[in-house]
Amino acid sequence: MSKKPLRIGLVGYGFMGRTHSNAYRQVDHFFDVPYQPELKAVCGRDRAKVAAFAERWGYESAETDWHKLVDRKDIDVIDIASPNDTHAEIAIAAAQAGKTVLCEKPLGRNLQESRAMVEAAERAGVANMVWYNYRRVPAVTLAKQLVEEGRCGRVFHYRAKFLQDWTISAKVPMDGQGLWRLNADVAGSGVTGDLLAHCIDTAIWLNGPISEVTAATETFVKERESTLTGEKREVKIDDASAFLARFANGSLATFEATRYALGHKALYTLELNGENASIAWDLHDLHRLQYFEYSDDGRLRGWRSIHITEGEHPYMKQWWVPGLQIGYEHTFIHQVADLLQGLAENKMRGPSFRDALATEGVVDAVLESARTGQWVKCKA
Amino acid sequence: MSKKPLRIGLVGYGFMGRTHSNAYRQVDHFFDVPYQPELKAVCGRDRAKVAAFAERWGYESAETDWHKLVDRKDIDVIDIASPNDTHAEIAIAAAQAGKTVLCEKPLGRNLQESRAMVEAAERAGVANMVWYNYRRVPAVTLAKQLVEEGRCGRVFHYRAKFLQDWTISAKVPMDGQGLWRLNADVAGSGVTGDLLAHCIDTAIWLNGPISEVTAATETFVKERESTLTGEKREVKIDDASAFLARFANGSLATFEATRYALGHKALYTLELNGENASIAWDLHDLHRLQYFEYSDDGRLRGWRSIHITEGEHPYMKQWWVPGLQIGYEHTFIHQVADLLQGLAENKMRGPSFRDALATEGVVDAVLESARTGQWVKCKA
Amino acid sequence: MSKKPLRIGLVGYGFMGRTHSNAYRQVDHFFDVPYQPELKAVCGRDRAKVAAFAERWGYESAETDWHKLVDRKDIDVIDIASPNDTHAEIAIAAAQAGKTVLCEKPLGRNLQESRAMVEAAERAGVANMVWYNYRRVPAVTLAKQLVEEGRCGRVFHYRAKFLQDWTISAKVPMDGQGLWRLNADVAGSGVTGDLLAHCIDTAIWLNGPISEVTAATETFVKERESTLTGEKREVKIDDASAFLARFANGSLATFEATRYALGHKALYTLELNGENASIAWDLHDLHRLQYFEYSDDGRLRGWRSIHITEGEHPYMKQWWVPGLQIGYEHTFIHQVADLLQGLAENKMRGPSFRDALATEGVVDAVLESARTGQWVKCKA
Amino acid sequence: MSKKPLRIGLVGYGFMGRTHSNAYRQVDHFFDVPYQPELKAVCGRDRAKVAAFAERWGYESAETDWHKLVDRKDIDVIDIASPNDTHAEIAIAAAQAGKTVLCEKPLGRNLQESRAMVEAAERAGVANMVWYNYRRVPAVTLAKQLVEEGRCGRVFHYRAKFLQDWTISAKVPMDGQGLWRLNADVAGSGVTGDLLAHCIDTAIWLNGPISEVTAATETFVKERESTLTGEKREVKIDDASAFLARFANGSLATFEATRYALGHKALYTLELNGENASIAWDLHDLHRLQYFEYSDDGRLRGWRSIHITEGEHPYMKQWWVPGLQIGYEHTFIHQVADLLQGLAENKMRGPSFRDALATEGVVDAVLESARTGQWVKCKA
């Protein structure tokens, strides 16, 4: 009724443009939030496509130049969902224009871009957030609660991987419609910035800072056709990336990401082993958490498969009834719900640009270690 | 753009009112449908609550008397999501008023009511549909495709169960806010009409007509408090219901539903065993289908756990990318997508009132068998 | 060293002859038992085969007529592992000769034979036991402990099934080498006595007496070739059998067995739902128990998958180290260990002939109900 | 009948002494092997214990000095199942005495010892074998068949881990009864030689040589009590060990082992991702293989959970019937069956001392990399 409007300008109408738009449209159907998102404008380079997107999702207007979006006085939030090579420039301009800035992950293509983004946002004093959406999977949020309650005790191990298989065929082109992720100039890196960044963000959130890493990357298919030029070009991104890490808390970790693990579509898995409890989760069954507690009666100790659909589980009271699961896009709705609450209370819930910079620091260390063959200390 | 509007009048703002409203709001974000649902009015007895619901979901108006809804000329569709004891009267009136009628399951509280509803709808010649939403779980739709393609061959066995645990405590009251399901006057029956009806609808859809049944029902907690009167009253619904069945195709089946199976929230499971292939599915991991094919190499035969997130899977091309799962509410969105397509082509995709009547025929036979201790032939 | 010998005479050298012989040979390698089994003789109709079996397993002698076995003074125990049609005659003769009598399940081919066997054994006052081996799966024994400790509270539901798929092909002959299970004259019944009997024995052990049943059986392949005569003969056994049951404790149950469930080889599953805890187990992963306890913190409630390999688990201290699983044949070794202990203490641990008679009573009621279409009270 | 005897002298009567003895006693009950193992002698330092062991398992004699065993003319095979610090000396002496030499893994405590053992065995020309038993899990042997048949195509990834949790408590002493695994002087290394060695052996067998590694090890509990001296001593073994590896075939791998992963008892898992098929397995459900094949119909592609209990599966025809699983100790029985066949055909099936040396080369590289922080090339 008396909800304040929050006027959104979205840049990008691809996969992430859809997830964000859906979140804005859905959030107040399920959450009692202090703001009402208003979809003022969406911006993209292809006039016809951006217009169609605007109509489908109910944006009041469409732009083809993001500068216009930044200049518009009727927009409070610039939400960046365009390819990685545009993040820094837009975010900095938006911050300087005093907008709240939301940015898809990763922050920049590299540490330098990312630092500039953090600096711009903090200097301008604008609210900011990065869409590391997996923090808002209810099972993952529950894991965070359990760690914060001290249920795990001293942590010995952390392990995460993100396995896909969509680039095994050498016929997948390097670029063209929606395929910028194989182009190093646009993406910055391959799976390290795309997939491992998710793993790293959650890992730091759950288990604290990562101190140092040793890494290996691989490019299995060396050349791919560019559908833009019709020619074969050298593939410069990392097809696969793995690293060992030491956390500041003394725990030892393994991380791996690839797009060459046949049979796995988006298998993001994580596990944390503490002295009193262990926790495991995977994205292919995102509505479950695996939990093992040492204090259970010895005969009856076992991994509990917790079906995360109860009112007591994070975010779930807002959805359906016990037993009925939610899916992927809900993580973005949760993130918007937290964003709106955070803005109203002037107490943002993160991850902020600065939080994301810590992840970029690890990404940078991983890529450096893969180049040099040395252990590299992480810095942000 | 040039989409025709389809003007909806919804009765009921409870659990099902939410799932239907969400489906109307979401369908055209993801599906290219020939109609644009317009939320004209929602009707409920509590003026304040229905108004709040209308605002949350964007209904243009709120009514407290469903007769008004039926009378309104600006409404094309009456969608009944109110308790079971209201289904027949509203549906018949809506049909007589020439509206498209959508009705939550079960159809009526008993076979008599259900027959009257079918008759009214068919006599009026109005489009009609019952919300047996589980047909539109992509995994279940895929199961239907596999059966229709003849992949299973002769079917020997079918088994289904729907297990919940929310009424184990004798302190759960019989009625009051949203709790009409334990009141036989309102609900018609207990788990037979509530949960088994889902199992039966899918079973008939996948495996054809059920010929005869032998059944047992049980009421474990004999008395519950009515929060309306503050007194203890006899519980007349079935807390649990199980039956054996023979299908017309000669296969033998077991069915079971209960609200007393601790540890199971909404565990609807089904399995079909054919001579060439077997199929199994469960609602707690609704985005997976289990499939076993005899023609596989003997050494490598195994149940395949198919992650139903590929573009080749029913409905999934409209959603995200492989590996990313959808949830419960999407089944209603799919049903609305099919409804709109069916209306445009004048070729409804079901389940129709008549389809649902077959399920009511089995429900009726189950309850009769439980009373009489005899095998009962199913009739609709 | 000072262990007393227990002199065994085994009848039958088929599948069960092997499991029993293995148990006798293995028991004292792992268990500290008061007797040392001595394999005195094995008996079978085919002289060459029984001799080969005797050599492989270390039996001192081989016989072709079981009467001789019963007459021998140097034999303490007659162990019957021959087809069902031989059980009664041998067991009765052995009891009358004062031998300890062990009998493969089911007891007799029907209730009449079974009663005669119980009577003979009890009149002779000889120790007796039936090989319902699944009680000695450590996970199942643990389930029994949990029930006895009262952890489950009032029981609402029990469900069990035993699914196989080896007779789907109409080319499987009715009899011939080792194939007497499809011949009703030899076997007594089909899956009811063969597979459901296992389910019923465990059910009664865990959940108490079964009061009444309603059942359905089916014979999918009506004729099969007899490899003995080369002719097609009518198949008289039940290929599939399902029943609903009420237990004396008021719980409601479903049971099913078949050899036509493609994809399942020996999928014996059981589940018990109590008001405080639920327990589930299946034979395809026999070294795990699934356990759900309501008293766990609500957020962290989930089915625990207990890996039954700890020293605290029944029988497991005698085997390897945590994490290392045992298999099928170990259930027979456990049964022999308990048998030897029971004999030494003059306190047999069962199941006795009389225990098995209760199962036969249910089998009989199931078959009668399938014939008559009526609910039938179980009697033994 | 006319089977030749193979006269065994076993050194060590601990955990591995039991598994080997059981294998010798069981092998000819299930496999048609050309030799009959004869248990001539077992050797151990504690006279009473070794005598009890001899009686339990049927060894004809007991020795307390292994030199006597090596000297005995009535012994063909010296089987070394004593702690790691004894392997080299005994194996070399046994080889020089012309015995067939079987050795528990790892070969020696370090590369130097291991090389001396290979040299001694090969110079003496004696048959030799190392007990890397997991190759003989039927599911793992099937994986090997699939790889050899070329079903996987080019391999991109291999990953393995071996997780335990038994040393989390700081109260577990460093040595004393059976606890030499935490004492670096006896064990050589911690989890690297104990657990990772298993992972490496299987990995090389399935996926070929490992070229280079980068590793990290950790000792979480720095001091433990010695029950021999009653004093606290520095723990010098690695509690946890992880490494990244490149195989000669270009695939990228992660390996990890620890005794600090709460909830995992002996979770050895492996996975191989090829361009056409992926394979995964874990020891906690050793009777299953997970298999994913790209050539399956896209809609029906899924990980197959293959229950390894069919006659078509490696070794399984000798055991029970489909659906009935075997356990851990069977791997040793299979290894003895292959050993006996290999001896008869003068064509040993491995793993030989030389095969095991390749594993020791990787272990050595891992430990060096963990010390130096550098990538290390593997050499044997």
Side-chain angles (χ1 to χ4, degrees), chain C residues 32 56 284 319 329-330, chain D residues 18 32 56 284 307 329-330:
Chain C
D32 293 312
R56 179 176 289 266
H284 277 194
W319 295 101
E329 76 260 30
H330 303 71
Chain D
R18 293 175 80 215
D32 293 312
R56 181 175 288 268
H284 277 194
H307 204 242
E329 75 261 29
H330 303 71

Side-chain angles (χ1 to χ4, degrees), chain B residues 83-87 106-111 113-114 180-194 236-238 259 360 363-364 367 371:
Chain B
N84 299 355
D85 59 339
T86 66
H87 289 190
L107 204 47
R109 275 174 300 179
N110 50 52
L111 199 47
E113 283 189 355
S114 300
W180 53 269
R181 281 181 176 80
L182 305 187
N183 184 332
D185 296 338
V186 181
S189 72
V191 297
T192 307
D194 183 22
K236 292 182 181 165
I237 56 135
D238 41 304
R259 294 178 185 137
E360 298 307 319
V363 165
D364 189 73
L367 294 171
R371 271 194 312 273

Side-chain angles (χ1 to χ4, degrees), chain D residues 7-21 24 39 41-45 53 59 65-67 69-70 75-109 113-114 116-118 120-121 126-133 180-181 186 198 332 335-336 339 351 353 356:
Chain D
R7 299 168 300 176
I8 310 288
L10 172 72
V11 186
Y13 54 80
F15 179 17
M16 283 303 129
R18 293 175 80 215
T19 60
H20 298 196
S21 298
Y24 296 130
L39 303 187
V42 57
C43 174
R45 278 167 293 193
F53 186 92
Y59 284 86
D65 178 354
W66 62 262
H67 296 90
L69 218 63
V70 170
I75 285 179
D76 303 312
V77 174
I78 296 294
D79 180 6
I80 307 165
S82 42
N84 299 355
D85 59 339
T86 65
H87 288 190
E89 194 180 2
I90 303 175
I92 292 167
Q96 288 170 347
K99 309 293 193 195
T100 290
V101 195
L102 315 181
C103 187
E104 248 312 312
K105 48 67 52 183
L107 205 47
R109 275 175 299 180
E113 283 189 356
S114 301
M117 292 167 76
V118 172
V126 296
N128 56 83
M129 186 183 79
V130 181
W131 293 90
Y132 278 111
N133 63 303
W180 53 268
R181 281 181 174 80
V186 181
H198 275 301
F332 294 90
Q335 187 149 0
V336 169
L339 166 72
F353 276 25

Side-chain angles (χ1 to χ4, degrees), chain B residues 266-342:
Chain B
L267 189 70
Y268 173 14
T269 70
L270 65 85
E271 178 168 346
L272 179 152
N273 302 130
E275 64 183 322
N276 301 323
S278 284
I279 299 172
W281 170 81
D282 85 78
L283 178 55
H284 276 193
D285 296 290
L286 66 83
H287 59 297
R288 292 187 176 274
L289 189 72
Q290 309 299 322
Y291 180 69
F292 185 96
E293 190 165 300
Y294 186 72
S295 70
D296 284 343
D297 171 358
R299 281 180 314 165
L300 298 177
R301 248 179 240 140
W303 281 86
R304 300 184 198 171
S305 183
I306 309 174
H307 204 242
I308 305 291
T309 62
E310 299 281 333
E312 291 162 288
H313 294 139
Y315 303 108
M316 291 308 296
K317 200 170 154 181
Q318 310 305 318
W319 294 101
W320 311 106
V321 299
L324 300 181
Q325 72 192 53
I326 60 170
Y328 166 72
E329 76 260 28
H330 302 71
T331 58
F332 295 89
I333 302 173
H334 300 162
Q335 188 149 358
V336 169
D338 286 346
L339 167 72
L340 300 183
Q341 204 64 43

